[in-house]
Amino acid sequence: INPAPTVDMASAPGARHITFPMMSNAAPFDNNDLRLAIKYMAERQSMVDNVLKGFGAVANDTPIGPNDKYFCADIPQREFDPDKAKFHLKKAGMEGETVTLHTSEAAGGPPAPDLALHLAESAKKVGFNINVQREPNDGYWSAIWMKRPFHMSNWMPRPTADLRFSLVHLQDAKWNESRTGSPELDALIIKARGMVDGPERAAVYCDIQREVHDNGGSLIPVFTNWLDARTSNMNGWVGNPIGEGDGFRVHETAWLS
């Protein structure tokens, strides 16, 4: 990408993640086997390559990415697996069935509808039907988000792992967009919050990520990069996973020569 001779595009790995919440308080998504089946339908690397054009990274159904110090590398990366998807579809009694996925550019920028269509195409390979319904940007957060059983969302990075889990994954969290959780998960999140940094805290965050990965209500397939435009005489920009503009602090880190 080169918009002008004196301007370059700078890409930085980001912690912003796209989510596909499946609300567990509404059939058929109250069945974890269906949620697992849909997670195994996602062709994540293809989403990064073909929808995000390489400006992103594969996610593993948790909000913690590889650039986070609490990322749990012990959890196997979930891949597109037709056999496992079919196995869980059969257990859920959903073979050959159809669900509706609501999407909008409001839910993740211009790539969001394309990510929805990508998932729908992958679902066809395992004999499942996802009807993609594109919604208007205006009113999406009030009319669709957390109101339709299967929809899309996205989350800007939070500075701590505790915030990422507490805002979305506690049972009583206002923004628990998939309506999943358990007393055991709540206890782990609260326990980690009160611990000092170190191996023991990292182990608890690993347990939290395993629980969200295995039983959570959201497919989280990708993280998106931050893209900044900068002039050729700009110095000091290094990129920050928290946000564009060098983590919103470009005015402190950069200078013109």
Side-chain angles (χ1 to χ4, degrees):
I1 300 173
N2 188 12
T6 59
V7 177
D8 292 318
M9 294 303 296
S11 175
R16 174 178 176 261
H17 48 284
I18 307 291
T19 68
F20 291 72
M22 299 170 276
M23 297 181 68
S24 65
N25 61 347
F29 298 104
D30 53 349
N31 189 318
N32 191 42
D33 278 298
L34 175 59
R35 302 197 301 267
L36 285 170
I38 290 176
K39 292 175 183 179
Y40 281 115
M41 292 174 197
E43 296 183 83
R44 299 162 196 255
Q45 190 60 56
S46 180
M47 285 179 168
V48 172
D49 295 341
N50 297 304
V51 179
L52 302 182
K53 306 303 180 184
F55 295 110
V58 167
N60 199 23
D61 300 322
T62 86
I64 306 298
N67 55 8
D68 191 289
K69 68 179 180 179
Y70 288 120
F71 174 70
C72 188
D74 295 339
I75 302 174
Q77 174 62 52
R78 186 169 276 135
E79 306 281 357
F80 176 64
D81 192 322
D83 291 335
K84 287 184 179 179
K86 290 176 182 178
F87 169 79
H88 288 289
L89 279 176
K90 185 175 182 179
K91 282 189 68 178
M94 291 293 292
E95 293 172 295
E97 296 293 335
T98 300
V99 297
T100 296
L101 170 60
H102 300 265
T103 188
S104 168
E105 287 190 6
D114 290 336
L115 288 169
L117 291 170
H118 194 289
L119 179 64
E121 288 299 311
S122 298
K124 291 178 182 178
K125 298 178 182 180
V126 299
F128 190 65
N129 304 299
I130 297 178
N131 173 42
V132 176
Q133 184 166 321
R134 188 164 182 166
E135 305 287 354
N137 292 350
D138 186 33
Y140 183 85
W141 298 108
S142 59
I144 304 299
W145 182 56
M146 296 181 60
K147 292 182 171 61
R148 300 301 175 94
F150 192 22
H151 58 282
M152 290 186 69
S153 177
N154 76 103
W155 286 89
M156 296 287 284
R158 264 54 180 189
T160 66
D162 176 62
L163 274 174
R164 296 185 201 182
F165 288 117
S166 295
L167 287 173
V168 185
H169 297 280
L170 288 172
Q171 288 183 101
D172 62 354
K174 181 180 179 181
W175 294 335
N176 184 336
E177 58 189 3
S178 67
R179 295 292 190 249
T180 50
S182 66
E184 293 76 18
L185 179 59
D186 287 359
L188 286 170
I189 294 171
I190 293 169
K191 178 180 179 180
R193 184 185 302 164
M195 300 176 73
V196 297
D197 285 341
E200 292 183 358
R201 193 183 199 198
V204 174
Y205 273 123
C206 250
D207 290 339
I208 293 170
Q209 289 169 75
R210 286 191 189 94
E211 177 65 21
V212 172
H213 178 268
D214 294 341
N215 298 302
S218 286
L219 161 65
I220 307 176
V222 295
F223 294 97
T224 63
N225 284 13
W226 300 113
L227 296 176
D228 287 320
R230 60 178 181 175
T231 61
S232 57
N233 65 337
M234 180 180 180
N235 303 280
W237 185 98
V238 294
N240 189 306
I242 294 298
E244 66 264 34
D246 219 352
F248 309 113
R249 301 184 69 177
V250 68
H251 59 290
E252 299 178 18
T253 62
W255 69 94
L256 300 178
S257 59

